[in-house]
Amino acid sequence: MAKLHVGTAIIKARSLLEAVGVPSSEAITTARAIVASDRWGIGSHGLMRLPFYLARLQAGGINPKAEMKKVTDLPSLVVFDGDDGLGHWQLQMAAEVASERAKINGIAAVGVGRSNHCGALGIYVWPMINRGLVGIAFSTGPAVMPPWGGNKALLSTSPIAAGIPTNPPTVIDLATSAVARGKIQAKSQAGAELEPGWAFTKDGAPTTDAKEALAGMLAPLGGAKGYAIAVLVESLTGMLIGPTLAKNIPDMFASDQDSIPQEISHFVIAIDAAKLTVDGDNSRTTEFTEEVKIAGGRLPGSNRVNPEELNNSDEITITDLVNDQLALWSTKLGI
Amino acid sequence: MAKLHVGTAIIKARSLLEAVGVPSSEAITTARAIVASDRWGIGSHGLMRLPFYLARLQAGGINPKAEMKKVTDLPSLVVFDGDDGLGHWQLQMAAEVASERAKINGIAAVGVGRSNHCGALGIYVWPMINRGLVGIAFSTGPAVMPPWGGNKALLSTSPIAAGIPTNPPTVIDLATSAVARGKIQAKSQAGAELEPGWAFTKDGAPTTDAKEALAGMLAPLGGAKGYAIAVLVESLTGMLIGPTLAKNIPDMFASDQDSIPQEISHFVIAIDAAKLTVDGDNSRTTEFTEEVKIAGGRLPGSNRVNPEELNNSDEITITDLVNDQLALWSTKLGI
């Protein structure tokens, strides 16, 4: 494992992105989002992905010079064409626009179509949290889950994130699949059985065999209920925003598809939290937070640092493999 | 079991509600929502509840003459004080107002505080579906679930409903608890074990003993993920709208609490589905619906009839117990 300061990691990521043609402003925003994920301990969505983004930026799957084109502009709903750009800075911009509009209108939403993978979805509810808003974010990706009872993958892991301006903030950040594919890979490597309800064979039959599962599909969390929630996520992204359904989205790790745009869509909703109160009382937020603590629980994500206020001297840990890959890319790009 | 025509059932429910002082317009809307639930086969949220609503309407826990008082009116966000009225007509009105505003602004939301139980939450996404909108609804109720790892019930079953204007419409309607309490009662009566992950003891320990579970608490669907979703629901209802958290909401079946208002809050979001498209193409809705069918699955709730277009000659089935209770109330109220 290699240790890096947050500030150093951001400069490194930014330089690599700039070297393949991403403009400074978008490179900085993207680098911060990537490193924030590592700072949260979610390495699977952090610097580990950067080599794959770089390969796609070079091969044409991601457009380094993308611009956000406004295709719909209603008072509380804006839809952008992401022009095949990086999901990170595009979703950050979407969250900022939604926040501004929500401050005026009470609630607002922004959709981004024709975009790319955005890293950890929970990052993008922070622009809302930091402005006293509730934020809800949806995204899509390659199809990995079948419809309930079905035999073909049509739904992505169907992630949902939500931020609530409690103190400390509540950050909900979850895939609608029962478990991540990585967890099944780990079981496979350990030669262990899966728990029931995690996966299906390629024909849609429930399985606890890790190898069958890896050749098959993920199961939704909580059975049919998780499937229903995943349908809502796909509806608000690939189906209604588009331009494509999850079933057509290429895998960002498949190097033979690096030149094919993912055409991923994202959707964020911002709600002015303080305006919801029926009686002018906003102290229930404190009351609920206290009650959760007294009951021996904790609010989701309440240990996550604010990605808009990262501390450059904090340390993150990346694997030696990721460290080596980034060094190779630095050499390759002459940094 | 007793069979009733939908039209007869609506007249019966309406007459009973009017007899305890509910004005005609609100009585009709409420009667339709109640009977629609029975028509959907969700007897637990239909006429079965009417005797309990009537008892609360007479005892003061529900205000028959309630008026919706607008306390916040932003372009896309309206918050009403429900004045302790019936949840059914209040949530229907909320959905209609949200729909009107969403048609203008792209997205809109309506909160209702100080309201009551609303029956099946899925009913209220239909005003949106019928106007080509996506609808999302949240409600709260008595606390039955602990925070993850905690030992005190702070969260309601935390229901979420969503409607998507596919053809036929998609209706998502679920509690965030793993199972309903009724399912645990059925296991208890059968002397059977519960499945793991359904319930906790009163001290928050996982249990498969139905009796311990009935004296204890429900578990969230899919473990910590379901808990996180439930926190979002409580945030958007009891916590931010109010006037009270789930932990203070009385049980509508407890007759000794019939005079205590539930002070339940509801929140609905409406989104103009056709305005989300990034490329002007709205045919992905048909494509997704077809793909689900081809894969051998079906869209959630796609067999539900439109509650705004009930067929009076359709039949519903209620238990003899419910039939007798309604007859007793008819006699008592001189109908």
Side-chain angles (χ1 to χ4, degrees), chain A residues 76 151 175 177 221 225 295 298, chain B residues 76 151 175 177 221 225 227 278 295:
Chain A
S76 300
N151 59 11
S177 57
L221 79 97
K225 288 188 183 190
R298 67 174 185 81
Chain B
S76 299
N151 60 12
S177 56
L221 79 97
K225 289 188 182 189
Y227 162 59
V278 72

